[in-house]
Amino acid sequence: MTAMIIDGKEFAARVRAKVAGHVTRLKDQHGVTPGLAVVLVGEDPASQVYVRSKGKMTVEVGMKSVEHKLEADTSEAELLDLIARLNNDPEIHGILVQLPLPKHLDEDLVINSISPAKDVDGFHISNVGLLGTGQKSMVPCTPLGCLMMLRDHHGSLSGMDAVVIGRSNIVGKPMAQLLLGDSCTVTIAHSRTKDLADVVRRADIVVAAVGRPEMVPGDWIKEGATVIDVGINRLDAPEKGEGKTRLVGDVDYDSCAARAGAITPVPGGVGPMTIACLLANTVTACCRANGLDEPEGLTA
Ligand code: NDP
C-alpha cells in the first residue's frame, strides 16, 4: 500500500482562509477586530522565527498582531505585569507566551497568570482541566491541528484504536484527550512503554510526538493505518552542502508510507497546522469574549 499524503500545508491554508472570513465578519458586522499578543523573552533563534511567522500570519488573516519582545534577563514581576496588562486589554483576545522561557522564570506560574479565556495555547491549568472533563476550553494548537486533519480524513473517529507516542503536556496528553473525546480507544505510550512495536501495531491511528528522528519504522505500522507525525527534528545534511540541515519527523517516512493508508509529511504536515490553529483559537476567543456564536469547525 502507498499512503495518501495528508497535506498539512494545503489544509492549513484552508483553515486560515476560513479564519480570515470570520475576521471579516467580526469586523463588518460587529465592529470587532480579533487581536493576538505574542510575548517573547530572550533571543532564542528558533523562538524568534516562530514569533515572526506567527505575527505575519496574524496580520495576513486581518487580525491585530502585537509583539512584546523582552530582554532575556526580564524579571518575573515585569513579565507578570505585562501579562496582567494584556489580560485587561479589551483589544487583545489571545495571549501567547513563547516557550521555552529563560531558566530564571517559572513557566507554570507565567502560563497560569494568563486569563484562561485568552489562553490561545490552551496550556493554562483551567483549560487543561476543562479539556480533560470534556468541557468547552481553549485547545492546544498542535493536537487541535492533528484532530482536524484526522476528522477531515476519516469523518468519524469513533471506535478506532489510537496510539499516541509521547506524554508531554503540550502534545501527547491533550492529543490523547481529544481522541478520547472523539470516542477512540486511546493508548498513551512513552519512554517506559514495554513492547512499543506491538502497541503501535494495534493502532488504526498513530500519533508520534517523541522528538526522536525517524524512530518509528514502517514495520510497526498496521497496514492501512493513519500516521500523524508531530516530530520536528533537524539533522545535518552534508549531501546538500556544508553546514546544511534537513527536517525529519519522528517516523521513518518512506517505510511508514509504504504501509500506512495515510500519512503527514515533515515538513508540510502538522507544523503549518499549529499556527493555523493558533489563529483559529484567537477567533474563537474573540467570539466568546463578545458573546457571539463560535465559528464551526475551528475548535474541537
Ligand atoms: P517532549 O520531549 O516534551 O516529550 C517527548 C515524549 O516522548 C515524552 O513523553 C517521552 O517519554 C517520549 N519518548 C521519548 N523517547 C521515547 C522512546 N524511545 N519511546 C517512547 N517514547 C519516548 O516533546 P514534545 O511533546 O514537546 O514534542 C515532541 C515532538 O514534537 C518534538 O519533535 C517536537 O519538536 C515536536 N513538536 C512539533 C510541533 C509542531 O508544531 N509540529 C509542536 C510541538 C512539538 P517520557 O515522558 O517517558 O520521557
Side-chain angles (χ1 to χ4, degrees), residues 142 165-168 170-172 189-192 196 209-212 215 230-233 250 270-271 274:
T142 300
I165 318 175
R167 56 174 164 179
S168 71
I170 63 168
V171 189
H190 46 77
S191 65
R192 308 294 171 89
L196 182 59
V210 187
R212 288 179 175 254
M215 189 193 88
V230 180
I232 301 178
N233 308 287
D250 288 342
V270 175
T274 297

Side-chain angles (χ1 to χ4, degrees), residues 35-97:
L36 173 65
V38 176
V39 180
L40 174 64
V41 187
E43 287 173 2
D44 177 66
S47 295
Q48 285 180 326
V49 172
Y50 288 137
V51 167
R52 215 172 312 141
S53 64
K54 282 167 186 168
K56 184 169 161 269
M57 290 196 185
T58 306
V59 172
E60 273 171 15
V61 295
M63 298 200 283
K64 175 176 164 164
S65 166
V66 180
E67 282 176 30
H68 291 272
K69 293 186 177 157
L70 308 181
E71 300 293 329
D73 62 357
T74 298
S75 71
E76 206 159 77
E78 283 172 289
L79 179 56
L80 294 177
D81 181 58
L82 170 62
I83 292 171
R85 278 186 277 128
L86 294 170
N87 282 342
N88 290 320
D89 184 340
E91 291 192 2
I92 295 297
H93 305 96
I95 303 170
L96 180 148
V97 176

